[in-house]
Amino acid sequence: MAADSKIEWTDHTFNPWEGCQKVGPGCDHCYAESRNARFGGGQAINWGPGAPRRRTSESNWNLPKRWNAQADVFMIQHGRRQRVFCASLADVFDNAVDPQWRADLFELIAATPNLDWLLLTKRIGNVGNMLPVPFDFERLYPHVWIGATVVNQAEADRDIPKLQAVSAAKRFLSMEPLLGPVSFRWATWVDRPRMHRENGCEHHLDGMRGIDWVIVGGESGARARPMHPDWARSLRDQCQEAGVPFLFKQWGEWTAHDVDPNGASSHLCCIDRNGGECALSRGADMREKGEPWWHLPAHPGRGTWGPDGIPAGVVEVRRTGKKAAGRLLDGREWNGVPE
């Protein structure tokens, strides 16, 4: 339930309880649900509507206190504070969780000030009503980072303003699995005399306002969906423009290549703007039948078509496995973290 983590952006994972319910497309292939089923005899007994959440053991709850006591040693070894991802097998702000469990968690957080607690949620709209009252993040909780999972433009438009409204020491986005292109350039009306309204619209990085960190990654697992390199590049470039640390976690199961029109597979697939699958004119998606190739346009639904029948900006992706795909973006690692 808690250990030194292999996740690139944290040092430890801590799960005060286990169980959740799917709330969006990023949850479709939830590894935590699969894990729960594996340990539950084939049935995810702590997942879904009405399913009970399972509180973890007292010994597990004592681990953050041990990490907190080791803070000086960790600082000497690494030159920074420890980060704790809470909760990788649940959601702190899940409606189905006993409120007393959450109160106990925040009591533990307050008692471990030498740890930076990363509370990542898919329910950012619940945060304001579920934080301790009052939530004194400057005095009692200066070590709490609040994060929201965002996987596509629709979720960005809906949830980033909610995250921006939360008071926390740090606010961050986990964009994994990234299922489509996301722009932080939200249209803002600028009043200018004698200018048509449609021409008076400027695009600023309003979506980055108050955001301290962006984590991006592709999906892993048996049914992983691929990520177009341009989606990740665009987010990196927007972060650099806004001065926000950018961490590229992984490609996931798929490795991308530029399309060779002369050697293209006869079975093509794209990802539409909302991350759904759609067959192109050359044939249906053969993924379920063992076909390893997908084709991804960088801007789904808006690409131009070339004479060979392949949309502009398309890359070809082959399932190579998470380890082989790696985490290099344009030939280097991106490990940005807030100071």
Side-chain angles (χ1 to χ4, degrees):
M1 287 301 158
D4 293 336
S5 179
K6 295 182 180 179
I7 298 174
E8 289 78 1
W9 47 269
T10 189
D11 301 300
H12 311 285
T13 57
F14 171 70
N15 286 284
W17 51 83
E18 183 175 354
C20 200
Q21 179 178 339
K22 294 179 178 179
V23 294
C27 303
D28 287 351
H29 306 147
C30 179
Y31 73 90
E33 181 184 24
S34 299
R35 180 189 181 279
N36 192 256
R38 189 165 64 251
F39 287 95
Q43 180 180 359
I45 58 176
N46 303 118
W47 244 260
R53 309 306 188 239
R54 184 182 69 82
R55 180 161 170 152
T56 56
S57 66
E58 182 177 355
S59 61
N60 183 66
W61 277 69
N62 285 331
L63 281 174
K65 297 177 182 178
R66 183 190 306 170
W67 302 331
N68 186 74
Q70 297 168 346
D72 290 342
V73 174
F74 187 93
M75 179 64 73
I76 292 172
Q77 292 177 341
H78 301 279
R80 60 173 178 81
R81 292 165 57 86
Q82 299 171 86
R83 296 188 292 270
V84 178
F85 171 24
C86 177
S88 63
L89 303 176
D91 193 319
V92 172
F93 303 101
D94 179 3
N95 305 70
V97 171
D98 185 336
Q100 184 58 52
W101 294 4
R102 196 160 29 244
D104 293 344
L105 172 62
F106 276 97
E107 182 177 339
L108 174 64
I109 291 173
T112 52
N114 297 321
L115 306 176
D116 285 332
W117 286 81
L118 281 56
L119 309 186
L120 176 61
T121 180
K122 291 181 172 64
R123 298 164 172 82
I124 191 63
N126 287 351
V127 172
N129 294 324
M130 293 184 178
L131 290 173
V133 179
F135 183 65
D136 187 346
F137 76 94
E138 293 183 339
R139 186 174 63 89
L140 291 177
Y141 303 103
H143 54 310
V144 172
W145 303 14
I146 302 291
T149 296
V150 166
V151 302
N152 56 32
Q153 189 69 55
E155 289 190 353
D157 295 343
R158 181 192 69 197
D159 290 339
I160 290 178
K162 298 175 184 177
L163 176 62
Q164 292 170 325
V166 172
S167 296
K170 303 285 185 187
R171 305 179 191 88
F172 68 100
L173 292 170
S174 174
M175 308 184 76
E176 180 190 9
L178 185 60
L179 301 179
V182 175
S183 173
F184 296 111
R185 298 184 185 279
W186 297 345
T188 302
W189 169 248
V190 179
D191 187 15
R192 294 180 179 175
R194 295 183 298 279
M195 181 176 286
H196 294 296
R197 184 173 181 85
E198 61 270 20
N199 295 328
C201 188
E202 292 187 352
H203 289 78
H204 304 281
L205 288 169
D206 288 349
M208 302 292 281
R209 177 177 48 81
I211 304 301
D212 299 288
W213 193 19
V214 174
I215 302 165
V216 172
E219 192 170 33
S220 57
R223 295 184 292 166
R225 293 157 286 187
M227 174 178 62
H228 196 291
D230 285 354
W231 303 347
R233 291 186 182 110
S234 173
L235 291 170
R236 175 201 60 196
D237 294 347
Q238 292 177 77
C239 285
Q240 289 183 320
E241 181 178 343
V244 173
F246 171 83
L247 188 146
F248 186 65
K249 181 176 179 288
Q250 64 181 32
W251 284 109
E253 298 292 333
W254 302 84
T255 300
H257 307 277
D258 293 333
V259 166
D260 176 5
N262 297 320
S265 167
S266 61
H267 305 292
L268 308 184
C269 183
C270 70
I271 302 297
D272 68 22
R273 181 178 287 115
N274 295 319
E277 300 173 16
C278 59
L280 300 182
S281 61
R282 290 197 174 192
D285 173 26
M286 297 293 288
R287 181 183 52 158
E288 299 299 333
K289 299 179 182 179
E291 169 61 44
W293 296 100
W294 285 32
H295 290 71
L296 305 178
H299 301 287
R302 296 186 287 129
T304 58
W305 292 79
D308 52 17
I310 297 177
V314 165
V315 295
E316 198 167 55
V317 291
R318 177 178 288 274
R319 181 185 287 275
T320 59
K322 177 181 174 180
K323 183 176 180 179
R327 55 187 301 259
L328 299 181
L329 175 59
D330 291 337
R332 57 159 287 192
E333 290 186 359
W334 300 82
N335 295 314
V337 177
E339 294 182 359

